[in-house]
Amino acid sequence: MSPTEPAPARKTIPHVDFELDDLDSDEERYLDFYRKVAVHEDMLVPLAEHHDGPNSYYVLFDRTATWGRPGMPQVLAVHLQRDHEKRMFSFEHAQLPLPAMAQSWLIHRGCPPEAIGLHPELGPPPADEATRALERRLVGDGDHYAMGYSYTSDDPDDMVIVVVLRAQDEQVPSPFRVVVEEVDTETWTHTLREGGFDTAGEALQWCDDRLTGKAGPLPPVRPAVTPSRPAGVAKAPAPHPPGRSR
């Protein structure tokens, strides 16, 4: 069972409907969509979806990914644009390791942030406020980082996802971040934590150690340095409001 699958004894797993039956005038594009997205349509679980006129946005869990290449992402973000007059459609898609990253990807393609919340009964809920806060930040600031590496392990004895992110701004402290999601199968909750690294090699080594059970604690993300005034320079006086005597 993957971290994003429903827990046992939950409701029937929903299936996605892309609603493209009447938009088949471009056979090449339809085949491209089938090969990249819909080939296992009955195995895609809609963790979130939003429909806005010709646009549809999906966060999907691909249940077939567990049998694919080891470590591959199991979440699929899909943006569909339909033109009913021309009976055509276009699409973008991305395979991503975490639902929050898929939400961010869709938001930056026009989906309203408040409209793409995850289904509360699909997947283990956050275990604590630290997890919820980091997920909100990933959803909102996802464009500040580029994904360099991820590995998804759905081993029932150690369900974990590790992701290495590189800051787009190379001057920020801890330019390489590791995000780790771990699932507690007994409580059916998940935690998300973040660590900061100076180099990609250090971040990748920590991920390898985590996947082999040898990793220590994540190093903290170094805070941004606030410039201080040089010694002996007095703070400038605050300006007086207009019209008030000095």
Side-chain angles (χ1 to χ4, degrees):
M1 180 178 295
S2 171
T4 44
E5 280 198 82
R10 299 252 178 180
K11 294 181 180 179
T12 302
I13 299 174
H15 295 291
V16 66
D17 182 359
F18 294 115
E19 301 179 5
L20 297 176
D21 292 344
D22 297 328
L23 304 177
D24 56 359
S25 62
D26 188 335
E27 184 176 357
E28 183 177 348
R29 181 168 298 167
Y30 194 92
L31 289 174
D32 188 41
F33 179 77
Y34 177 81
R35 288 190 294 264
K36 294 178 178 177
V37 176
V39 61
H40 301 298
E41 183 172 341
D42 60 337
M43 297 292 283
L44 298 175
V45 180
L47 304 180
E49 58 183 296
H50 173 65
H51 307 281
D52 182 12
N55 291 281
S56 288
Y57 306 88
Y58 303 89
V59 177
L60 305 169
F61 170 61
D62 183 0
R63 290 189 287 164
T64 69
T66 188
W67 300 301
R69 174 174 53 84
M72 67 184 299
Q74 299 182 351
V75 178
L76 191 64
V78 179
H79 175 207
L80 278 176
Q81 293 179 294
R82 303 176 185 84
D83 187 331
H84 289 283
E85 291 186 2
K86 296 181 179 179
R87 297 184 61 198
M88 296 178 63
F89 71 95
S90 60
F91 74 98
E92 295 179 89
H93 78 292
Q95 276 189 302
L96 296 161
L98 297 172
M101 296 175 68
Q103 290 170 290
S104 177
W105 189 89
L106 293 170
I107 289 167
H108 288 94
R109 282 155 181 78
C111 184
E114 68 280 1
I116 199 67
L118 300 178
H119 195 297
E121 294 188 358
L122 296 177
D128 50 31
E129 181 54 35
T131 297
R132 286 186 284 269
L134 181 51
E135 287 179 335
R136 287 193 296 267
R137 186 154 58 81
L138 286 175
V139 170
D141 297 340
D143 61 332
H144 295 179
Y145 296 89
M147 188 179 74
Y149 167 81
S150 76
Y151 193 98
T152 297
S153 172
D154 51 13
D155 180 346
D157 294 325
D158 186 21
M159 299 174 73
V160 60
I161 300 171
V162 293
V163 184
V164 176
L165 302 173
R166 176 181 55 81
Q168 302 284 18
D169 180 0
E170 298 179 356
Q171 303 304 314
V172 301
S174 302
F176 294 91
R177 310 287 174 90
V178 170
V179 177
V180 184
E181 180 185 278
E182 297 176 332
V183 173
D184 186 328
T185 54
E186 293 186 1
T187 63
W188 195 244
T189 60
H190 75 274
T191 58
L192 197 66
R193 296 293 185 264
E194 178 187 44
F197 297 84
D198 291 328
T199 69
E202 293 171 334
L204 290 168
Q205 183 61 56
W206 191 95
C207 290
D208 184 64
D209 290 344
R210 172 60 187 84
L211 293 168
T212 55
K214 299 181 295 184
L218 276 169
V221 175
R222 290 188 287 114
V225 177
T226 302
S228 58
R229 295 193 310 275
V233 176
K235 181 180 179 180
H240 290 275
R244 180 172 296 182
S245 64
R246 296 179 182 271

